[in-house]
Amino acid sequence: MSPEVKPDFLISPEGLRIDGRRPDEMRPIELKVGVLKQADGSASIRQGKTYIIAGVYGPRELHPRHLTLNDRAYLRVEYRMATFSVPDRKRPAPSRREREISMVIANALKPALFLQEFPKSVVDIFITVIQADGGTRCAAINAASLALADAGIPMRSLIPAVAVGKADGKLLVDLGDEEDKYGQGDVPMAIIPQTEEITLLQQDGSFTREELNEAMQMGITSCKYLHELQKEALRRSYVKKTPDNGDEDDDDDGSYEDDLETDLGEAELMED
Ligand code: UDP
């Protein structure tokens, strides 16, 4: 493979990004729910060239037992990169970065979950990055949240996440790998969209107070857009699962929305 070359510029004279996007434009996103047969819940995300699969198991008995929490389920997240997911072979042993990102993802998801309904048990989320091209922790949150809903874990809301960054002095949403590597910094964030509560906020690089405020506003707008895509992916999966609903456009009573509401209710999704 040819060595990676630093691009001459990240923002063109016309104000467009290296892949032709506008500063506030997300990469193309494809979300799928129910992609793994063995898992209790699963989802995949393609965000540009980043490709991630998340599988949820549980609530189930927790081993080792000393991790048991008497008043709620333990949320155990394992974020891993496949050896072939990055240009240099990723060593298979868990890295410090993977452990940190696992913790960050768990903390971003927890505020939306009613884990107290399953004391002394564990909900496991296994996340594998198949292909990394920037923004993997946020893409992983988008997929993991959908996988939790698919597993029927009671939640206040789905959690969308996005990274906003800076390159050539301009704020950009949803950084690609080169923007991440050669840009001036990034701010990954996740929110509960209905209340705009922030469940993840990290910062890499330096931003002025004004830039940070603007970056967060851009992030909230993008998260709300992502949230719509998440809900739509979940709806599609329930329409597919309904046995008497062979055709997505051909419901019993002609009411697409009625079917969706019943099915979303089954998933114990407590969206507003
Ligand atoms: N990356 C890589 N090798 C690694 C780890 C990361 O090439 O061992 C790339 C990958 O494309 C990743 C990007 O660097 O998406 C940024 O990584 P970071 O740690 O900032 O996390 P992310 O932005 O993926 O959440």
Side-chain angles (χ1 to χ4, degrees), residues 217-236:
Q217 278 315 314
M218 288 168 85
I220 289 172
T221 305
S222 301
C223 280
K224 288 187 173 173
Y225 165 72
L226 271 158
H227 184 228
E228 293 305 314
L229 299 185
Q230 285 176 311
K231 285 193 291 185
E232 188 49 41
L234 203 53
R235 284 196 190 104
R236 277 197 308 272

Side-chain angles (χ1 to χ4, degrees), residues 7-264:
D8 293 336
F9 54 81
L10 292 170
I11 304 288
S12 73
E14 295 77 37
L16 295 178
R17 298 159 69 172
I18 202 153
D19 57 3
R21 280 186 289 157
R22 297 184 311 274
D24 62 351
E25 193 177 337
M26 308 268 304
R27 291 176 286 182
I29 294 167
E30 183 190 78
L31 292 163
K32 286 189 183 162
V33 176
V35 294
L36 301 175
K37 186 170 161 234
Q38 278 84 3
D40 294 315
S42 58
S44 67
I45 181 165
R46 282 182 194 274
Q47 191 155 345
K49 294 191 189 108
T50 289
Y51 179 35
I52 295 174
I53 298 184
V56 168
Y57 292 77
R60 63 182 180 179
E61 204 171 311
L62 173 57
H63 297 285
R65 286 209 182 276
H66 70 85
L67 295 175
T68 301
L69 302 169
N70 285 329
D71 59 344
R72 60 188 186 280
Y74 180 63
L75 184 70
R76 186 161 52 190
V77 176
E78 189 183 289
Y79 160 102
R80 301 294 302 277
M81 294 182 112
T83 48
F84 50 78
S85 64
V86 283
D88 301 323
R89 175 178 178 272
K90 156 77 182 60
R91 293 173 68 169
S95 64
R96 255 187 66 180
R97 175 182 171 276
E98 285 170 312
R99 279 198 287 268
E100 184 217 306
I101 293 183
S102 299
M103 184 195 73
V104 159
I105 293 172
N107 288 342
L109 294 168
K110 262 186 234 166
L113 303 175
F114 294 107
L115 294 172
Q116 64 277 17
E117 293 194 15
F118 308 103
K120 300 181 182 172
S121 65
V122 63
V123 175
D124 277 306
I125 311 178
F126 299 109
I127 296 163
T128 300
V129 178
I130 308 289
Q131 185 161 274
D133 193 44
T136 61
R137 78 194 62 202
C138 291
I141 291 169
N142 292 324
S145 178
L146 272 178
L148 286 163
D150 187 40
I153 306 298
M155 58 175 65
R156 287 165 67 196
S157 169
L158 290 159
I159 299 279
V162 75
V164 183
K166 188 168 70 163
D168 297 348
K170 268 218 152 307
L171 293 175
L172 311 171
V173 299
D174 187 19
L175 299 187
D177 190 43
E178 284 169 311
E179 292 170 336
D180 196 320
K181 284 198 180 113
Y182 305 115
Q184 296 160 285
D186 72 323
V187 180
M189 60 186 287
I191 62 166
I192 296 181
Q194 292 85 348
T195 58
E196 297 187 5
E197 280 169 78
I198 291 171
T199 68
L200 162 73
L201 187 64
Q202 295 186 289
Q203 185 186 327
D204 180 21
S206 63
F207 291 75
T208 63
R209 184 185 288 265
E210 291 72 33
E211 282 173 340
L212 196 56
N213 281 337
E214 197 187 332
M216 286 171 67
Q217 278 315 314
M218 288 168 85
I220 289 172
T221 305
S222 301
C223 280
K224 288 187 173 173
Y225 165 72
L226 271 158
H227 184 228
E228 293 305 314
L229 299 185
Q230 285 176 311
K231 285 193 291 185
E232 188 49 41
L234 203 53
R235 284 196 190 104
R236 277 197 308 272
S237 81
Y238 286 116
V239 169
K240 228 178 352 182
K241 269 188 212 165
T242 310
D244 61 357
N245 196 3
D247 184 330
E248 288 190 19
D249 301 316
D250 182 20
D251 316 322
D252 290 344
D253 60 358
S255 160
Y256 179 77
E257 286 304 325
D258 282 356
D259 259 22
L260 298 181
E261 270 169 32
T262 320
D263 292 323
L264 286 172

